[in-house]
Structures are given as structure tokens and as C-alpha cells.
Amino acid sequence: MTPKSPIRAVVPGYAQRLTAWMLRQSALLLRQLSKGRIESATGVTVGAVWVLIAPLFFACGVIDWLDGGPDALAFLASGLTIQLLGFSILRFSKFPSTLPIAQLFTAFVSGALAALVAATVAHLVTGVAPTIDVALVEASATVTGTNATTVEPESLSLGMTLFRSFGQWLAAAAMIVVLVRILPHLGVGGLDADGGVATRSARRLAPRSSSTMVRLLTLYMGLTILLAIAYFSAGMPLVDSVIHSLTTVSSGGFSSYSGSIGAFESPAIEWVAIVGMITAGTSLPLMFRALRRGDLHRFVRSIEFRTYIGLIVIAVVAVLAWSDKWPTVNNLRETLFWVTSAISTTGYVASNPTLVSYGSEALLLVLMVIGGMSASVAGGFKVMRFMVLGRYIGRELRRSIHPSAVEKIHLGRSSIGEVALARIIGELFLATMVILASVLLFTADGLNFEAAFSFAISSLSNVGFAFGLGGPNEHLRALGAVGHLSGALLMLIGRVSVTPILVSLGGIGEPVQREVRRWRLTRHERSVR
Amino acid sequence: MRRVAITPVRVAGAGLLAVALAMTLSAVVALIDGGGAAAGLTMAALVTASVGCALFFGSQVSPTTDSALAFASVAWSWLAVALAGALPFLFTGVVPWAHFDDAIFESVSGFTCTGSTILSDFDSVPQGLLFYRSMTQWLGGMGLVVLAVAVLPALGIGGLDLIASEAPGPTADRLSLRVRDTARRLWLLYGAVTCIVAMLLLAVGMSVFDAVTHAFTTIATGGYSPRAESIAHFDSVAIELVIIAGMLYAGANFSIHWHALRQGIGAYGRVSEIRWYLSLIAGAFMLLLWVNHGELEWFRNIRESLFYAVSLGSNTGFGSSNYVLWMPAAHLTLLILMLVGGMSGSTAGGMKVLRLQVVFRYSFRELMRARHPNAVIPIRLGRTTIEEQVASKVVGFVLLYLGLIVAGGVVLSGLGVDPVTAFSGSVSALGNVGPALGEAGPTSNFLVFPRAGRLVLMVMMALGRLELFPAMLMLVASLRGLNRMHRQREDTKSP
């Protein structure tokens, strides 16, 4: 084996140690703080999220003050409030000694909700959002990494723009932590969605999940810095390149211009964005293992990666074939941009989607639903789960000829358990029901059918742009309060997947149900007597 | 003459003979009406009958049967019937020979009880042909309910396999083990109900021709109407009520109807599917009432909402107005109705209410399991418990169904149809409904789709009617059948 060059060995090693130190310090801080009386995982999570998110408020406040913007004081004050609230909640709660799975679900969802509340507060105090429903949907777009907004990005102060893009970046980073630390216990979404195929590969990175987490986070930060440099060298202004690299690598999609990437009118920047978006949709463990040894063949060996790239290629060919234009380099870039923006669920816009042909529109919607690879920061239902579903259908077809055949579903070299399969299918059905319900709400709130459907799919997959109206991002502006609230909920459901939300709702529902049953029983007993 | 022992051929022959009979009947109607087309219909009948005879008498039933062969029989006979059914449109000159695919479209749409039409000018179409068109749907519905149960066992195939292929899921309720008897009863019921509907329609003021044709397509949940404006042509509340009752009846399971006739009305109460079916339609009706409130005058609102809730909930597709002009929220409601369709064991298409039930139970079980990972929770429908095997079959079906809708929608929009029309057309075709949303609404016709798009829709109609799995396995099975024939020939040679 050739010896590693000193830079390759030193820089990542140092970055990794730095990340590990930061994680350790924050964990220590949280542990020291949470020594209260009340055993509540939810309390600890909410407090932790608020304590950890407050520095972002301070940083954005300071930057805004340096920039001479109007939001410095608002940021500092709200940051302080959130910090204090977080501290006090942490102070009174304690991590429980035993944690039933239902409570873990609730804690997960309440963590997301806490982040949502913090971002809502930021939008309200800075006056970006006039009403609470607008603030909620803006906050939801920030926390879930969706490029849907009601405001003109140019009208925002620098502090707010940075807050929003850093919010998307941090939320995606938190998703990585959740992917490695929490979702394997829950068995929904993320790494465990495929019955542990990706989890095992992630665990193979390191036997302990905390070092896995450190490695993936380091990779995530490294990619952000690389992308910022790439944007800068492609000719973007410095601040813009930081903002865009933050929202590209997190597949968030917020931009500092209302024309998104298209505002720069630069092919070089678009190419950088395309590569960045493809990277954002790629599995992080896969990337880490491939890059650590420089073993690029790992990408080729991964069946999910092959499918992911294959989908992009097929979609590009189809879109080009369906448009009446010749496949010049410009058209190719434009098409590739649409396709990658949809499948990686970033939601950047480079040209007007009303120019896209009908077929491409349908195809882009399908790509949004499919989403990125599993164990990536992208939204959507994930490529691997659809591969599993395809194999499931094939198995059922074969079973109808040979009813007693027993067949396991394989993906690559690993087989998928029946429990994981049922979980994937259940998630898909529930998501479909959620989409139908929200389309009803959107149409009732005044969107036309096409706009409502595409926006529901786009929100659930955390993309942002949709079709059927004049522009790609007009939908939220066209909606009223009902639409805003359901849009916010839809984005949140898309990010944390349906099951945790419904199960946490069940956390409220089940005691009620139990009480009702007890009440009915006692009434029955009374009548028997 | 040595007969070839392949069941699919013989079944297809029997189907063709039945179609020839329908053509002859229509020719008689055309003669009485005097509007022409008698010659064309007779010619088509002759051709179909001769091919049918050749197939039927030239083959015999295979000595061994398995589910693959049964699948192939169903699929191939549908195909043969649909192709032969196109002949009258061509022979009478209503559809020019250059557009033979349109004739096949009309025929496929008829035999699959879909009701999407490519006819634009109804006045120039002879009455005999319109009668024939309604008859195709009636035969298709009859085939749906009965062919699999009665004719095929008469040919010596294990009919129960076919019931499973036609109406998968609840294999428990097989009416009786004597399949042939069952089939006769269903046929009797089907015919009797058609007669009753026809008489009721006659009583509320339709002409004989209209009453008979509409009764045919109502009970088949087809939706072909000899009038261009469909039911709106008559503009009569009484007619609409009769048709609503007919559609509601036809969208429910015929075996339950038979039980209800024998054991009293209580038989309906024992089936959970019928509660779901009715509450789905009632829910859609309420939703439509709410959405259309303020858009339509109240009586018209009740009338049209009820009509469309039933018409699309039973996947019939009759039209009483143009719902394309309604609010978008109403469109979603209608689309969900089209997607779900009627009950299993009925002539209605769609995903079937029963599968929706299973899907609901399945997904909510997953929620329960997420909360209580070690719980063992059976999937229950009413009081019966569904086996895991059956549940996963249903789930596989639904996944495939949704996948095909998406694929069809993408292909259609790729051919240049706007996405709303494309996806709703895809739902409508796979669910054998008839009208779609967007440009292909109830007052429009399917010429809005490009020629290639109509081919796609045609395939989807056939797939939807054959409940996907048999159609998907058709090729596999026929290849295997050929293989077996080859092997048999080898065997007979060797000794």
C-alpha cells in the first residue's frame, strides 16, 4: 500500500479530533446540566436543542450588528431567552434510567418541534413573518431543509439569511446524529429503513456509534468547506458561496436570491451546484468509506449508488427526449440541474419550471418522491426503500404462481427481514394518506389541482419548488393560514417520517383510550350489578 | 382431427362465440331500428363465430391444470374477445380501418367495463352499434362475475383458482363448493337485476332502447351511454335515482347479494366491506356537498354530488353534468373514489374497498408495532382474521397498482398530455372508470389523448380488469404452456 501523503493524514485526523472534542464538550455540558428531579427524555431533548441552538442566535446577531443590519438586537434578545429557557428546562429534568421506545419516539419528535419553535421565534421577533402561521411555515422550511418561502430573500438582513441557511445546515447535521444514534433504535427511516443494510455498513465504520457519528459529521463539514471553496472559485461572492454551500450540502435549498442559483447566470456555478446536490443525495457512510482509502470502486459496488446514478441518467435522457430542444451542453446542464435538484430534494431553481415539458414535470415529481440514498441528508422516501418495494412486488408475483414458495428479499448481499419490509410498506401507505389529506387542504385553500398535488409531494419530500402556478416558489404565497399550517406539518412529517409523529400522537391518544376503555368497563360492571 | 389440448384456446373460443351471439342480437336490433349497420354487424358476427368455432372445437381442455394455466386462460380469452369486439366498429364504417386501434380501444373499453369512448359524434352512429356497445359492457361484466366461475369449470378447470385470480383476497367466502351451481345463480341474479333496472328505467320514462342499454351498462358498472351527454341527456331526477340505485347495487359484491336474497337483508350487516363501501361513498358525498356548497344551487348540489359519489364510487362513470368545472377539492375526492372503486366480487373496477381495508389495517398495525415492538397483532376485517400470506399478497397488489398508475401517468405526460389529465386518465383506465379529470372529463372523449397514449390507456384498462397479476403472469404462463405442449409431444413420440 502506498503511504499516505502527510496532508491527507493530518488534516482529516485533526478535523475529526476537533469534531469529537466539540461533541464531547456539548454532551458533558448537557449531562452536567440535566441533574434535575423529573425523569423526562422529552425535557432533556427540548432543553438540549434550545441550549445548543442559542449560540446560532448570538452568532447571527453579532454578524448582523457588524453588517449594520436591523435584526441584531432581536437575535440577541431571543437567543438569550431561548438559552435561559433551555437551561431551566434542562435544570429540572433528568435523563430517565429506562427509556421505552414510545418515549424515544416522543423525545425525537419533541426535539424537532423544539427546533421549530426556536426558528419560529426568530422569524417572529425579526419581523420577517407578519403572522404566526407564516413564521411557522418559514421555520419549518428552515428546520426541514425545504426551499419553500413566502419572503423575498433579498429583503432579508444578512443575519437572517445566515440564520436560515445555517439553520438548514444544522438541522441536517442533527439528522446525521439522529440517523446514527436514534433511528436504529426506532426502526424507521434513516439507516435502519432497509433492515439494517446501511446500518451495518455504518457500524462497520467503527464499532461504536459515537465515533461513527464523529466521522460522518467531519465528512459533512469537510464537504461544506470544499463546496464553499468551489463556489467561490466559480465566481460567487464570498458570503453567497458560504450560504449556498451550507444549503447545498444539507439539501436545504435556501438561497440569498429569489432567483436561486439561476440569479448568478453562471454555468460554472450551476455545475458546482449540480455536483454538490448529487453529493448531498449520496449516502454519507458510503462516501466516507470510499474516500478514506481512496477506494472509489466502492461507489460502483454499492447497488443503491448505481441505482441512484442510473435514475439521474434515465431522467436526464427522458427529459431531454421529451423537450423539443437539441441536447446541447446548455440544455444538458439545465436538465441535469432540474433532475439533481429534485432527486436530492435540494430544491434549487436555475430556470423557470413552467418551461419544462409536461412529461418532465411528472418525472421530476416522481424523482422528488424517490429522494436521495438512504443514510444521506436528502429527504424523500429514499432510493433503497423503492428498490426493496420493487423486489417485494416481484416476490408477490412469483408467489401467485407458487403459493407455497418461501423467498427472502435480497439487496446486494444482504437480505431484508419481514419486519423491516412491513415497516417500509406501512410508511409508504401512511405517507400516501398524508399526501392525499394535505392535497385536500391545499385545494380547499385555493390552489389548483396540479399546484396542490405537486406542492404536497414537494413539501413532503422537503424539496420546495412545485408546478402549476406562475413560478416555482409561488405556492406558499398563494396559500392562506390553513395551507401554511398544513404545509409546515407536511414538511415536518417529511423530515422525521410519518411513524414517529403518529406514534407520539399515540402517546397522547393511548392513555385517553385506556381511560375510555376503563370507563366503559366500569359502566358495564355497574350495569351487570 | 387431432385436437390440441390447450385450455386457453378453448376458453377464448367460447368467449368469441358469446361475442358473436351479442353481435347477432345487435344486428337484429339494427334491423328493427332500420338505421343501417345490420350488414356490418352480421359480417362481424360471422367472422367472430367462425374463428370462435375453430378455436373452440379445434382444441380441448388440458388434462392437467394449475393456476398458471388458469391465469393464461383468463388473460388470453379477454384479449381475443377484445380484439374480435372491435370488428363491428370497423365493418360498419363508424371507425375507419386506418384507425383500427381506435376500434380496439372502444372494444377494450367496453369489455373491461370502463366506458371511456373515442366516439365524438353520437348522432351519426347507428343504433344497432350503440346497442352492441352497451352489450359488450354487459357481457364483460357477466364475464367478470360468471365466466371465471361457470364457464371455465365447465371446461374442466379448477375454478377456485380462478376465483382467486379474479377476486383475490377473501378466499373464504366461496358461496358454495359446487362452483357450477354458484355460477348459474350469479348469472341468474345478474340477468334478473338487469331486467329489473331496465323495467324501472322504462317506468320512469325512458324509451325501450335507452332503458335496455342503460340497464346493461349500469349493472356492468360500465358507463357507456348511447347519448352523448350521458345521463344528463334525460335531465330527470327519477332516472338518476334509478341509475344510482343500480350502480350502488352493482358496485357491491354479488355473492353477498345472493346471500341476502336467500337469508334476508341481515346478510349485508355481517360483511364489514359493505360498511366501508357505503361509508366511503357517503363520506365522499358529504365532502362533495361541502365543497360544492355555494358553487351550485342546493338541490342541484345534492343531486349531482350524490350522482357522482355513486357513479365514481362504483367506477361506473356515468355523467350527469361536467364535474371538471367543480372546485379542485372536489376533483381530489372524485380521484380517490376512482382509485378505490367498488367491492371485491362486483363488476366494479379499481383497487377494491377490501384492499383499502387491508391497507388501512396493515399500516395501522405498523404504527402499533412501532410503539409495541414485540406485539403480535393480527389483521382483522370485521370478525375474520386475514392470514399474513393473503395480506402480503394484497399489499403487493396495491403497491403494483400504485406503481402502474404513476408509470402510466409519467408516460402519458411524456407524450404531451398535461399532468392532471395524464395521471387522472391513468387512474381512470387502470380502475376501469371511464371519465377522467382535466381535459378528459365526462363531457369530453378520449381523443384528447394522443394515439400512442390511447394505446397505453388500453393496456392499462386490460391490466386493471385482469387484476394485474394474471395479466403480468400471462406471458410467463403461456411460455410455460408451450413448453409443456412441446414436452407432451416428445412424450407421445418416445414410446
Side-chain angles (χ1 to χ4, degrees), chain A residues 101-102 359 362 392 400 403 422 510, chain B residues 366 370-371 389 392 413 417 419 473 480:
Chain A
I101 193 136
Y392 185 86
S400 53
E510 226 166 61
Chain B
E366 281 317 303
R371 202 168 160 75
Q389 195 97 355
S392 65
S413 19
V417 185
L473 294 170
R480 215 197 269 172

Side-chain angles (χ1 to χ4, degrees), chain A residues 101-102 105 322 358-359 361-362 366 392-393 396 399-401 403 422-423 425 428 436 439-440 443 449 499 503 507 510, chain B residues 71 328-329 332 359 362 366 370-372 389 392-393 395 399-400 406 410 413-414 416-419 423 469 473 480:
Chain A
I101 193 136
F105 271 115
W322 285 336
Y358 288 142
E361 186 181 325
V366 172
Y392 185 86
I393 294 173
E396 290 310 318
R399 258 200 200 168
S400 53
I401 288 195
R423 187 57 61 77
I425 293 165
L428 181 72
L436 290 180
V439 171
L440 190 66
T443 46
F449 198 57
T499 312
V503 169
E510 226 166 61
Chain B
F71 282 141
L332 180 78
V359 162
Y362 193 89
E366 281 317 303
R371 202 168 160 75
H372 309 285
Q389 195 97 355
S392 65
K393 218 179 210 176
V395 165
L399 289 175
L400 187 62
V406 172
V410 170
S413 19
V417 185
D418 77 283
F423 277 91
F469 278 42
L473 294 170
R480 215 197 269 172

Side-chain angles (χ1 to χ4, degrees), chain B residues 140-154:
Chain B
M142 184 180 252
L144 209 65
V145 180
V146 172
L147 177 108
V149 197
V151 183
L152 294 177

Side-chain angles (χ1 to χ4, degrees), chain A residues 168-178 217 220 250 377:
Chain A
Q168 291 198 327
W169 189 82
L170 269 184
M175 263 328 269
I176 297 175
V177 176
V178 169
L217 281 178
Y220 181 66
S250 62
V377 291

Side-chain angles (χ1 to χ4, degrees), chain A residues 278-291:
Chain A
I278 294 181
T279 317
T282 311
S283 157
L284 282 164
L286 176 69
M287 256 192 294
F288 184 84
R289 279 185 295 138
L291 293 179

Side-chain angles (χ1 to χ4, degrees), chain A residues 226-304:
Chain A
L226 273 181
L227 205 62
I229 295 170
Y231 271 131
F232 185 65
S233 45
M236 224 188 234
L238 180 64
V239 178
D240 284 339
S241 56
V242 170
I243 289 169
H244 284 99
S245 77
L246 289 175
T247 57
T248 309
V249 97
S250 62
S251 83
F254 272 157
S255 168
S256 40
Y257 298 94
S258 48
S260 196
I261 296 287
F264 295 99
E265 290 181 358
S266 150
I269 289 177
E270 280 176 31
W271 279 115
V272 172
I274 288 171
V275 174
M277 290 191 287
I278 294 181
T279 317
T282 311
S283 157
L284 282 164
L286 176 69
M287 256 192 294
F288 184 84
R289 279 185 295 138
L291 293 179
R292 182 171 55 170
R293 290 273 162 77
D295 180 10
L296 294 183
H297 196 64
R298 272 185 192 278
F299 283 121
V300 187
R301 279 209 299 271
S302 157
I303 185 165
E304 193 190 8

Side-chain angles (χ1 to χ4, degrees), chain B residues 89 93-96 106 117-127 129-130 133 225-229 443-447:
Chain B
F89 297 101
V94 170
V95 179
E106 196 72 9
T117 184
I118 47 92
L119 297 180
S120 50
D121 182 18
F122 275 69
D123 296 333
S124 67
V125 181
Q127 302 276 292
L129 196 65
L130 288 176
R133 202 164 146 264
S225 167
R227 305 290 170 187
E229 307 92 346
T443 54
S444 173
N445 58 49
F446 270 55
L447 286 174

Side-chain angles (χ1 to χ4, degrees), chain B residues 283-321:
Chain B
F285 170 52
M286 296 295 179
L287 209 58
L288 287 176
L289 268 186
W290 173 64
V291 172
N292 288 334
H293 179 74
E295 302 285 320
L296 296 172
E297 177 248 329
W298 70 269
F299 183 65
R300 185 145 279 279
N301 185 4
I302 293 180
R303 197 173 143 188
E304 289 183 4
S305 301
L306 184 65
F307 189 86
Y308 274 119
V310 177
S311 172
L312 296 185
S314 66
N315 279 7
T316 309
F318 277 135
S320 69
S321 64

